[in-house]
Amino acid sequence: MDEKINKLREMIADSGNIVFFGGAGVSTESGIPDFRSVDGLYHQQFAYPPETILSHTFYMRHKAEFFDFYRQKMLSPTARPNAAHLKLAQWEREGKLRAVITQNIDGLHQKAGSREVLELHGSTLRNYCERCRKFYSLDYVQHSQGVPRCSCGGDVKPDVVLYEEGLNERTLDRAIRYIQEADLLIIGGTSLVVYPAAGLVRYYRGNKLVIINKGELGTDIGAGLTINGAIGEVLSKL
């Protein structure tokens, strides 16, 4: 492990255009459960599978049940940034890291101080009325009852990408551009099995590709350096 950490340290020192692509594993060290680990949402018992509850179809047909699950399992207002979030924010301040591309919806990168954060799957911090588009905070949704309502009478929907919904094209295009231009791409805390987000990696044109993940990957992408470990623990050593 020490040898790999030293190699990563050298790669970072020689890079000035780093892009980080992260998944749920980045936030597990902040106490936010992922989906696929032993303690993840897929291994908990609900009336419906999580991927069903978090689908567009289920949301449209069973909004009250959706929000019951959403408030219990998807909101983490007290979670704090961990060592991974803080290190990435530090690199950005130092001018080494250009952008964070994340599949997470918790806003912890911004809480840590990162400014250029591309949220592929949206954010629980943003909510909007489906009728008039008025903005509502996480606190409003968290403390509402049943289906949260706007002052105009419309339903308030979280600004998150549900299963069956497409990613924001503008965010996707920006993510592709950052990855194409990166001299070092670090992939952390993701098994690369959720598409279309996982497919972004193929746009990388450089020769310094690093994977830091606790567990197996869903695909072989030919990384030059692979570190099996918790992302926060690894980055805290740099």
Side-chain angles (χ1 to χ4, degrees):
M1 175 71 81
D2 289 342
E3 182 178 339
K4 290 188 174 184
I5 294 293
N6 288 333
K7 183 177 180 180
L8 177 57
R9 186 179 290 112
E10 292 173 2
M11 295 171 74
I12 292 168
D14 292 338
S15 303
N17 188 351
I18 303 171
V19 171
F20 179 83
F21 180 93
V26 178
S27 293
T28 53
E29 291 171 89
S30 293
I32 298 176
D34 63 5
F35 275 64
R36 293 173 176 81
S37 68
V38 174
D39 298 320
L41 293 179
Y42 282 164
H43 295 276
Q44 299 180 28
Q45 298 300 314
F46 303 104
Y48 301 90
E51 64 268 34
T52 297
I53 300 174
L54 296 174
S55 69
H56 177 80
T57 297
F58 191 91
Y59 171 79
M60 296 301 296
R61 294 176 178 174
H62 309 282
K63 286 187 179 181
E65 291 89 343
F66 169 89
F67 277 104
D68 182 52
F69 176 88
Y70 183 78
R71 292 187 184 95
Q72 288 186 56
K73 298 299 180 180
M74 304 305 294
L75 300 182
S76 305
T78 61
R80 305 304 305 166
N82 60 54
H85 300 105
L86 297 173
K87 179 60 69 172
L88 294 169
Q90 174 191 325
W91 287 345
E92 185 182 38
R93 290 193 301 271
E94 294 172 349
K96 297 189 71 67
L97 184 138
R98 291 288 304 281
V100 169
I101 302 168
T102 180
Q103 299 175 76
N104 296 336
I105 58 176
D106 48 49
L108 290 181
H109 286 292
Q110 292 91 329
K111 285 184 179 180
S114 291
R115 302 185 66 177
E116 188 63 5
V117 180
L118 281 65
E119 297 171 313
L120 296 175
H121 295 156
S123 173
T124 61
L125 306 184
R126 300 187 301 269
N127 306 272
Y128 63 92
C129 173
E130 295 183 284
R131 180 184 296 175
C132 73
R133 313 303 288 185
K134 182 179 178 180
F135 174 86
Y136 286 89
S137 67
L138 179 151
D139 186 70
Y140 179 83
V141 172
Q142 183 182 18
H143 294 99
S144 59
Q145 299 294 320
V147 180
R149 307 286 186 187
C150 175
S151 55
C152 78
D155 296 339
V156 175
K157 182 181 186 295
D159 188 15
V160 299
V161 179
L162 302 176
Y163 289 102
E164 304 170 347
E165 295 180 344
L167 303 186
N168 180 279
E169 290 190 11
R170 182 173 179 272
T171 302
L172 199 57
D173 288 343
R174 290 175 61 211
I176 290 171
R177 189 165 60 252
Y178 273 122
I179 289 173
Q180 287 175 331
E181 297 173 354
D183 60 2
L184 169 59
L185 176 61
I186 302 175
I187 300 170
T190 175
S191 55
L192 293 178
V193 297
V194 178
Y195 283 81
L200 292 175
V201 177
R202 71 177 185 271
Y203 290 98
Y204 179 57
R205 298 169 176 173
N207 59 5
K208 291 189 290 185
L209 178 58
V210 175
I211 295 175
I212 307 169
N213 189 55
K214 193 174 182 180
E216 298 297 323
L217 290 181
T219 183
D220 181 9
I221 59 173
L225 176 64
T226 300
I227 301 176
N228 191 324
I231 181 74
E233 180 180 340
V234 172
L235 295 192
S236 67
K237 296 177 180 179
L238 299 173

